[in-house]
Amino acid sequence: MLAAALALAGGAKAANTLRAYAADCRDWWDFGSRSGFPGLPATAPALAAFVADLGHRGARISTIRRRLQAVAWLSRGHGHPVDLRDPLIADAVAGLARQAGSARRQAAALT
């Protein structure tokens, strides 16, 4: 399944991005095997649980965001679009970021 997903990408992604996405997708599949969530289609509850699992394992917020992008790319390539702005997913990431002290902050307005 992963090889098929990478084949779908063609030349749209840089080689390093594809390598990172492959590792991210393997982690997603491993998480699904451990937790009982199906790999595809990726659902908001499954992705929110994945975020919590990654946070529990000490992943950085930037890594979590990239892994979510990789799973969304994989899912989209198989005809199952995922909206990472879904409140369940976005709130899980935001809550983890706030807990870790790396929440995005609103910049001051230019005057």
Side-chain angles (χ1 to χ4, degrees), residues 51 55 59-62 64-65 90-105:
V51 167
R60 298 180 73 171
I61 296 301
S62 58
I64 292 170
R65 287 188 174 116
D91 289 349
V93 173
L96 193 59
R98 187 167 305 284
Q99 188 178 47
S102 63
R104 292 184 178 173
R105 289 169 182 72

Side-chain angles (χ1 to χ4, degrees), residues 13 37 43 87:
K13 302 278 184 200
F37 286 107
T43 63

Side-chain angles (χ1 to χ4, degrees), residues 105-111:
R105 289 169 182 72
Q106 179 69 39
L110 296 174
T111 57

Side-chain angles (χ1 to χ4, degrees), residues 30-74:
D30 291 344
F31 165 76
S33 296
R34 288 191 320 272
S35 63
F37 286 107
L40 291 175
T43 63
L47 287 169
F50 185 49
V51 167
D53 180 68
L54 290 168
H56 180 72
R57 292 189 282 146
R60 298 180 73 171
I61 296 301
S62 58
T63 300
I64 292 170
R65 287 188 174 116
R66 191 197 65 232
R67 290 201 174 159
L68 288 172
Q69 288 296 329
V71 173
W73 168 79
L74 175 70

